[in-house]
Amino acid sequence: MSTGTPAPAPGSTPPGSTPPGSTPAGGTGTTVLGADDVGRALTRIAHEVVERNKGVADVVLLGIPTRGLPLARRLAQRLAQVEDVAEHDLVGSLDVTMHRDDLAHHPTRTIGETYVPGDGVDGKVVVLVDDVLYSGRTIRAALDAISDLGRPRAVQLAVLVDRGHRELPIRADYVGKNLPTATAERVRVLLAETDGEDRVVIEGGAR
């Protein structure tokens, strides 16, 4: 006779996890993507990057801190599993702080680290990686920051969530989840590396 913890009933949620559509403990938001959803989205994006670029020999992933960087590292792990390439040769970090157009309103900012793997970005396909695409202003700053590093052959954009409300003519090439939102709402991406868990939550506004 087993004395272990009973297995959860079919369709139930394992202890410690938050199903999509639920309210996280201690929070006021609604979970729209759980850990499994985030993992599947990144796996799909990785395969799309390989297919679109016919491999990853010339691909460089540049994560935009804070949460774009761990997402880029996870994509690099997945690409390394399907292509004969080392993870560290694929991924770098791109700080966009000094290229932002709101510095006059928020002049005190911590400068992050920028580093590029391998031989730089000249002639490469650079895939910018970020957590949420919203107004497009962060990506505009990222494009300016890349111009300081060199001249890529092409620049592509991968985001976990596209929530709409663009203010600039910028579109993602790879999207984990298109998430229509109201302007009053806030989309929070939680990642295990920075927040202890993987989850996407919508907060505020009337649903």
Side-chain angles (χ1 to χ4, degrees):
M1 179 177 179
S2 173
T3 59
T5 303
S12 66
T13 301
S17 62
T18 305
S22 66
T23 300
T28 59
T30 299
T31 297
V32 292
L33 292 177
D36 290 343
D37 302 310
V38 171
R40 282 190 292 267
L42 292 175
T43 297
R44 175 170 51 79
I45 289 174
H47 284 285
E48 290 174 356
V49 169
V50 172
E51 181 178 0
R52 177 166 180 165
N53 296 291
K54 298 179 175 58
V56 296
D58 294 324
V59 170
V60 174
L61 305 173
L62 292 184
I64 300 174
T66 301
R67 290 168 181 80
L69 183 52
L71 289 173
R73 287 171 175 159
R74 293 195 202 181
L75 284 174
Q77 291 172 353
R78 285 163 168 79
L79 292 174
Q81 291 172 356
V82 296
E83 294 283 312
D84 185 20
V85 63
E87 294 175 25
H88 60 80
D89 290 334
L90 284 172
V91 63
S93 176
L94 183 68
D95 181 73
V96 304
T97 302
M98 298 308 299
H99 294 276
R100 296 185 64 93
D101 60 7
D102 59 355
L103 284 176
H105 304 288
H106 305 282
T108 303
R109 290 181 179 271
T110 301
I111 306 299
E113 182 181 11
T114 292
Y115 63 89
V116 179
D119 301 322
V121 301
D122 287 337
K124 302 289 188 178
V125 175
V126 172
V127 180
L128 293 171
V129 183
D130 206 2
D131 56 348
V132 179
L133 178 58
Y134 182 33
S135 68
R137 294 185 180 275
T138 296
I139 304 306
R140 183 210 60 79
L143 294 172
D144 286 348
I146 288 175
S147 68
D148 291 343
L149 301 177
R151 185 174 182 178
R153 185 171 83 246
V155 179
Q156 300 169 2
L157 175 60
V159 297
L160 182 60
V161 174
D162 184 346
R163 63 165 297 187
H165 305 289
R166 210 78 73 243
E167 297 174 3
L168 297 173
I170 289 173
R171 180 180 62 85
D173 300 276
Y174 314 102
V175 178
K177 175 72 172 180
N178 285 292
L179 192 60
T181 60
T183 54
E185 293 173 324
R186 179 188 178 197
V187 175
R188 292 180 59 209
V189 172
L190 307 176
L191 297 177
E193 296 90 336
T194 54
D195 310 288
E197 62 177 325
D198 286 347
R199 191 149 46 91
V200 177
V201 178
I202 294 182
E203 299 177 333
R207 300 287 306 164

